Structures are given as structure tokens and as C-alpha cells.
Amino acid sequence: MQILVINCGSSSIKADIIDTLTKKSIFELDAERINTSPEITINKNLVEYNGEINFKNILQFCFQKIKNDELSNSIVGIGHRVVHGGDVYQQPVLIDEHVEKIIEDLCSLAPLHNPANLAGIQEAKEIFPSLPNVAVFDTAFHQTIPNRAKYYAIDKAIADSLKIKRYGFHGTSHKYVAEKASNFLQTDLKNLRIISCHLGNGASVCAIEYGRSVETSMGFTPIEGLLMGSRSGDIDAGIIFHLAKKGNLSLEQIEELLNKKSGLTGLSGIGNDMRDIILQAENGNENCRLAIQVFTHRLTKYIGAYAAIMGGFDVLLFTGGIGENAVEIRNRVCQKMNFLGIDLDDDKNKTEKLSDEKEVINISDETSRIKILAIKTNEELAIALESEKIIQEKNKVNCVPKIPIAVSARHVHVTRETLDILFGKDYELTVFKNLSQPGQFAANEMVTIVGTKNKIENVRILGPIRPKNQLEISRTDEFFLGIDAPVRDSGNVAGTPGITLIGAKGTAILKEGVIQAWRHIHMHPTDAAIFGVQDKDIVNVDIDDDERPLTFKNVLIRVSDKFKLEMHIDTDEGNAAQIKSGEEGTLMLSEKAVSLIVKNV
Ligand code: ADP
């Protein structure tokens, strides 16, 4: 599949067409500084933009450029990075109006990001109206963090009303690299405790206990935690009051200071680029040395803390621009943690390099109890793969035909001979209502059925007449009548209990014929070919009900060119599943059968 991945930030737009088979980006659009002096490149070539400098115009321009490219014809869906999914989304989701509304409602929690993400979604819908859109949330992976790590110790009522808690970010990357580590080590994620250090311009650590995020250093906003390119990370909240009271800074100025002028930028005084800072530190720049020391000290502190909360761990992984490349930073962080079982192989740390061909490197010494890995993160690919899953799921739901369900009330089929006894010689049934199966009808004629305990009146005869008598009742009816009838397929009445039927003209005592109908699906051979099933196969059927979802197992397939697609269940089954005639079920097919259907459609 080819998926268009959109990452709309407040000042940049990034779009990639990712081929999920080769896992490569085959088209790349980058628009930087879009609010001031836009610089747009496509596949690294500069593109001229002469339009008005505003977000919407540039967004439109970029999307139109994508649409004009030949490759856009092969796109099957669009994956959007959405920063904040609040408490609502634990997984990526197919975008509809309801999802858009929630993303909009969450703008107050991510005022810089969610509005831009939403604008990207709306523009994508305009320009690619037939493509499905998927939202992949930065926060989703961290929804498993327990309350003890989620809550800030401030007045709970205030915190709850303002939705103040730890949400965490970088979730898509932490999840992606954790899965990479699990593949590399050939150990199920469920058996690993991982500390994942995503060290890019934004930086966060995540404790991943057996596949679930249980702690992360970014919190209510992405400012908390590690020292970052230009964000402060953890500070004493008292500093904010001090800045306001003694520094005379406004709220906006403090926000700007902590987000844009702090972290590596603030400490080093030379900008946010770790490469430059390392170089300058080597040349004796004290501020750059301090920036590195504070950066690594804080990272070490978090790793120690996360080791403690997980009661130990198995994998330490580094990712993001700094984590993937900065030998010195990895070295400094690992040096002090021998006591935890961390033993870095200095040579491998220096010489092993990540590349497109080598996305994971093991830099731990053979004796190291904890595996130390550097892993190339790829958030665009992660978003494309997550989106692909959702789109395939949607295709399945759309392509696999639904099966209408009919709830059969108790009824009786009679032979010529029995009808003679019940209604008189050569009596002909009259049509009360035609049934959905061709040629079948509910007759006006009804009988009373008499069991050993009770009788039931007004049981309808279904026409036309058949070669064998057959009374189809539910388990509840059986108890009421005092009969124990087996579950049988239609026509298979040998050895079943008998029953007495009373008609308008006489009483027929049947020696056999009472069954509970085996739940079954009538299919025309064309349907059977679509579903890839045959007469007498046994399948499972899902009832997609939000409140009481249910799977009917052991459903018999009956194929005949006289049949129309319909599943028949009895009243007990209908009641249990709260199904009324006319609702639908989904045949549960093997992955292979589904992919065949999807392909054929
Ligand atoms: P973003 O979070 O914006 O995606 P990246 O993950 O690309 O950022 O990380 C950018 C950071 O990685 C910068 O600080 C950059 O200096 C640093 N970096 C990249 N390569 C190296 C390197 N070889 N050595 C040290 N730092 C590096």
C-alpha cells in the first residue's frame, strides 16, 4: 500500500508518500518557516512559492503539489500525525466528523499542534475526497500509564476539571522502536522491560513494561522532563512565579522562554544543535560543557528512576537524532550505570553506525545484563504502518458482505398426508405472507401443538408442503411443552421426538419431527463463492453490536440455487443477542479468505 503521511505543525508541513511494502518514502515534501519566510522542497528540490504567506494558502499549495504528482494516484489512504488524543484515543482511528470534533475539542490541551493537525485533515479531505484519513496520536501509546504516574499532586477537582494530568508524547516513536527492539532480540514485547530514550530536538524517556507504556517524562505538555533543544524540561514551578514577580516577565514571555529559549539553546548560548555543542565543548566552551553535563545527568536520573519503578529492566534503547548518533552522549549516560547491569561496548558504540540497511545496532558488551541498542526511529513509517492497519480493517468491514439475519418464530412444515388429517382431504394451504426464501410462504393455517406438559396455540404452518413433517421450536418452547428435542439441520428428523398437532378438521399424532433448528445460513452458490465456503461448512458469525457484541459459533452453511443469502436463528437466540429480523451479521473468515475478497472487490 502507498500511504500519504501528513505531519502539519504550527510552522512546518511535512508530507511523505510511504510504500508500506518496501518501507521507503517515495515522495517527500517539506515546508519550513511557513508563517514567515516559507521554504518548500519536494524531494529536496526547492519549489517556488509566490502566494500569500498564511497557513491555509500554503497548506493548499502543498496539497495541490502532492495531488499533481503522478505518484498520488497510487495513494490508498492518508495517515495524519495528531499530537493530542487526550483520554479518548488509545489507538489510531479512522477519521470521521465525530473524530474531528474531538480533535478540535482537544485543541485547548495542544494549542500549537492540534489546530494545525486538524487543518491538515480538513485540507486532505478537500483535495483527496475519496481517500480514508487516519489519525495517529502522539499520546495514544501512553494511555496505559497508571494513575499513580498520571496524576500531578495538585487539587484534584481543579486538575480534573481542567484535564490536567500526564498524557505523554512521542508515543508513536517509542512504540515503533520498542517493536524494533523486540524483533531484533527475537523476544516478545510481553517479555521485555524497556527504557526508551527518544533524544531529538524534543526528547523524552519512556518506561515500557511488557509492551505497555507505564511512565514517560513528558507530561501534560511536551515541556516536562528531559532537557531538550529549546525546551527547559523539568523546572521548579516556583521559578515561574519568580520570573513573573522578580523578572517582570509576562505569562507569554515565560512560555516563550521555557519553550523556545531554554534547554540546550538556553544553557549553551550557541543554539540547539547537539553536534555544534559537542564540538564547542571539545574546544573548551564551558557553557556547552555544562549543557552536555546537565543533559546527560538528567537522562541518567530518569533511567535510574524508571529502572526502579519497573523493578529492573532488560533493554536500554537510544533513538532520535542524538540517541542514534551521539556516541559521546550514550557513553556518558551508560558509564555511571554499571551497577544496574549496563555495560557499554566502547568500540561498538564508536564504530557501529545506523543506516537505512542497519536500523538497529547492539552496542552492549557481551557481558552486559541489559541490552543496549541504538535504533533508527521513523515516525512517518510508523504512522504509515499504523494507518495501513486501520485502512485494511475498514476495507474488510466494507468488502465482506454482511449477512441479513432472520429470527424464526416457532413453525411447522407438514406432509400432504398430515395436512389432509388437519384440514381435510386435498386441502390447499393459503398464503398469508411470502417469505424471503424464494417460493416459501407463511400460511394462514395454524395448528395447536400439544406436548406432555402444555400446549401452544396458533403455531403457523409454513408452505409449501414437504416430504417430511417438522416442527421447529426453541429451547424455551421445549421446556414449556415438556419435550427434549435435539438440534438438527432441516429435514434430518430421524429419531427426534413426536408431537400432537390439532388442526381445524382433525388431530395428527406425529411419531417424530420436533427439532431445534441448527442455526444456519442460506446461500446462493454465488454467495458461497464470494465467501469461499461450501454446503455443510460450519462457520462463526459475528454480531457487530456496540452494546452486546456476540459471536454465533457452529453455524451451518446451506447452499442451493433456490436460496437467498440469510441467516436463520430461533427466538431464544435472537433474544439473547437482542437481534430483530433484518439486522446483520458478519461471517468470520480466515485472513486469507478476507484478503481474497478485498482483492476481488
Ligand atoms: P527532531 O526531534 O526535530 O526530529 P532529530 O531527531 O532529527 O530532531 O534530532 C535532532 C538533534 O539530533 C539535533 O540536536 C542534532 O544536533 C542531533 N544530532 C544529529 N546527528 C548528530 C550527531 N552525529 N551527533 C550528535 N548529535 C546529532
Side-chain angles (χ1 to χ4, degrees):
M1 275 193 181
Q2 277 160 22
I3 306 275
L4 173 62
V5 175
I6 302 289
N7 183 353
C8 267
S10 53
S11 63
S12 66
I13 298 165
K14 193 165 162 31
D16 285 84
I17 301 177
I18 307 264
D19 183 327
T20 58
L21 192 66
T22 60
K23 300 192 168 38
K24 298 270 181 269
S25 171
I26 52 174
F27 172 96
E28 240 179 278
L29 180 146
D30 266 301
E32 300 285 340
R33 289 192 288 276
I34 57 177
N35 303 312
T36 48
S37 48
E39 193 181 296
I40 303 173
T41 59
I42 292 183
N43 299 327
K44 308 243 180 308
N45 299 317
L46 209 57
V47 177
E48 203 172 330
Y49 176 75
N50 297 318
E52 204 178 304
I53 299 183
N54 70 46
F55 191 80
K56 183 148 177 66
N57 282 15
I58 297 177
L59 198 56
Q60 267 172 357
F61 176 82
C62 292
F63 276 60
Q64 205 57 57
K65 282 275 173 212
I66 302 169
K67 180 147 192 163
N68 293 346
D69 195 288
E70 216 176 286
L71 280 173
S72 74
N73 296 326
S74 57
I75 300 171
V76 297
I78 307 178
H80 296 264
R81 176 186 183 210
V82 179
V83 165
H84 224 302
D87 270 346
V88 190
Y89 295 111
Q90 299 197 5
Q91 302 286 347
V93 63
L94 198 66
I95 299 174
D96 58 15
E97 275 173 22
H98 174 69
V99 175
E100 273 181 61
K101 171 84 177 58
I102 290 175
I103 295 172
E104 191 178 352
D105 289 347
L106 291 167
C107 282
S108 62
L109 294 182
L112 287 180
H113 297 100
N114 272 31
N117 303 152
L118 196 58
I121 291 168
Q122 284 158 353
E123 199 55 48
K125 277 173 52 188
E126 279 286 301
I127 302 217
F128 302 99
S130 60
L131 293 180
N133 288 273
V134 177
V136 180
F137 301 94
D138 271 25
T139 49
F141 182 55
H142 303 300
Q143 285 296 295
T144 46
I145 292 179
N147 279 345
R148 61 178 175 273
K150 254 188 190 165
Y151 272 85
Y152 292 97
I154 58 175
D155 183 297
K156 188 162 180 298
I158 294 178
D160 285 345
S161 75
L162 293 174
K163 297 188 164 60
I164 297 173
K165 61 171 76 164
R166 177 177 310 285
Y167 293 103
F169 299 88
H170 283 154
T172 312
S173 171
H174 285 303
K175 181 170 181 238
Y176 175 79
V177 288
E179 281 166 1
K180 283 239 157 227
S182 144
N183 285 341
F184 180 81
L185 298 170
Q186 296 188 344
T187 309
D188 198 308
L189 264 184
K190 291 197 183 80
N191 296 322
L192 289 174
R193 288 161 304 172
I194 298 175
I195 296 180
S196 164
C197 310
H198 177 115
L199 313 175
N201 266 320
S204 69
V205 196
C206 181
I208 304 167
E209 190 175 50
Y210 309 127
R212 292 154 60 89
S213 166
V214 292
E215 245 295 13
T216 191
S217 58
M218 283 179 170
F220 177 62
T221 72
I223 298 190
E224 195 184 347
L226 298 178
L227 192 73
M228 306 178 216
S230 62
R231 289 180 218 141
S232 63
D234 297 334
I235 58 162
D236 176 351
I239 295 171
I240 296 174
F241 313 131
H242 191 70
L243 287 168
K245 288 179 187 159
K246 297 278 178 208
N248 286 325
L249 296 186
S250 67
L251 265 184
E252 287 71 29
Q253 286 170 318
I254 297 174
E255 202 170 3
E256 161 112 358
L257 175 77
L258 298 182
N259 269 306
K260 304 252 168 79
K261 298 179 182 162
S262 301
L264 292 174
T265 305
L267 280 181
S268 74
I270 66 156
N272 66 350
D273 195 312
M274 184 59 102
R275 281 167 293 204
D276 300 340
I277 295 170
I278 291 173
L279 206 67
Q280 296 278 334
E282 280 166 8
N283 292 336
N285 182 320
E286 282 303 329
N287 286 340
C288 289
R289 286 184 178 173
L290 179 67
I292 292 172
Q293 281 167 344
V294 178
F295 185 91
T296 51
H297 169 82
R298 197 174 295 180
L299 183 53
T300 307
K301 194 161 86 171
Y302 266 100
I303 294 169
Y306 288 2
I309 62 155
M310 289 195 286
F313 68 114
D314 311 293
V315 183
L316 175 63
L317 68 83
F318 293 98
T319 191
I322 299 173
E324 291 167 26
N325 302 297
V327 170
E328 154 143 16
I329 301 294
R330 295 193 303 234
N331 189 26
R332 277 173 173 269
V333 170
C334 292
Q335 256 171 14
K336 296 178 191 150
M337 292 197 289
N338 273 351
F339 78 99
L340 273 178
I342 290 179
D343 204 346
L344 187 77
D345 183 321
D346 289 339
D347 283 342
K348 283 194 211 156
N349 186 37
K350 266 191 217 126
T351 54
E352 293 266 359
K353 298 282 174 226
L354 288 166
S355 65
D356 283 350
E357 288 67 46
K358 211 171 188 184
E359 293 176 338
V360 183
I361 52 174
N362 181 351
I363 49 176
S364 33
D365 189 272
E366 269 163 26
T367 59
S368 182
R369 196 177 55 71
I370 286 163
K371 291 277 175 281
I372 312 165
L373 307 177
I375 303 183
K376 223 166 145 44
T377 192
N378 188 339
E379 284 177 276
E380 286 72 33
L381 175 60
I383 292 171
L385 295 174
E386 298 270 9
S387 304
E388 182 185 41
K389 263 192 249 162
I390 301 282
I391 290 164
Q392 277 172 338
E393 209 40 57
K394 170 184 175 286
N395 285 347
K396 260 190 227 176
V397 172
N398 285 353
C399 292
V400 177
K402 297 273 186 190
I403 299 176
I405 300 175
V407 181
S408 304
R410 61 179 82 96
H411 63 269
V412 59
H413 300 280
V414 290
T415 60
R416 178 68 264 164
E417 198 186 0
T418 306
L419 190 61
D420 285 351
I421 298 170
L422 294 171
F423 289 91
K425 185 96 181 99
D426 296 332
Y427 185 86
E428 289 296 336
L429 290 171
T430 56
V431 177
F432 167 68
K433 198 172 86 182
N434 283 319
L435 298 176
S436 53
Q437 294 304 314
Q440 303 291 303
F441 63 90
N444 284 307
E445 289 72 20
M446 293 194 263
V447 292
T448 296
I449 52 179
V450 186
T452 53
K453 267 196 343 209
N454 288 299
K455 61 182 181 181
I456 300 176
E457 295 177 339
N458 299 328
V459 177
R460 208 171 279 282
I461 298 177
L462 299 194
I465 53 166
R466 289 204 179 172
K468 284 181 190 166
N469 295 304
Q470 181 171 302
L471 172 66
E472 296 178 36
I473 53 175
S474 68
R475 178 62 90 198
T476 307
D477 287 347
E478 282 181 42
F479 271 94
F480 184 71
L481 292 166
I483 301 175
D484 200 4
V487 174
R488 288 282 176 87
D489 52 325
S490 188
N492 180 9
V493 290
T496 58
I499 190 88
T500 299
L501 307 180
I502 305 172
K505 292 278 173 65
T507 297
I509 298 170
L510 309 184
K511 290 219 160 47
E512 61 181 18
V514 186
I515 63 165
Q516 274 181 74
W518 190 344
R519 58 183 82 113
H520 56 280
I521 303 174
H522 287 281
M523 282 191 186
H524 191 270
T526 335
D527 299 316
I530 292 174
F531 287 110
V533 293
Q534 294 178 353
D535 192 41
K536 300 216 169 85
D537 275 358
I538 291 171
V539 297
N540 296 344
V541 173
D542 242 0
I543 306 301
D544 327 306
D545 182 285
D546 284 347
E547 277 192 343
R548 303 185 87 185
L550 180 134
T551 301
F552 281 117
K553 295 193 171 174
N554 195 19
V555 183
L556 183 69
I557 299 279
R558 297 314 314 259
V559 182
S560 158
D561 55 8
K562 296 192 184 64
F563 288 160
K564 188 176 150 214
L565 184 65
E566 192 169 62
M567 172 160 158
H568 290 180
I569 56 176
D570 71 23
T571 43
D572 277 358
E573 296 179 315
N575 290 341
Q578 289 188 333
I579 293 175
K580 289 178 218 68
S581 282
E583 291 186 23
E584 293 179 321
T586 308
L587 192 59
M588 295 172 72
L589 298 162
S590 66
E591 278 297 316
K592 203 170 138 203
V594 171
S595 60
L596 256 176
I597 294 178
V598 172
K599 226 188 238 162
N600 288 339
V601 171

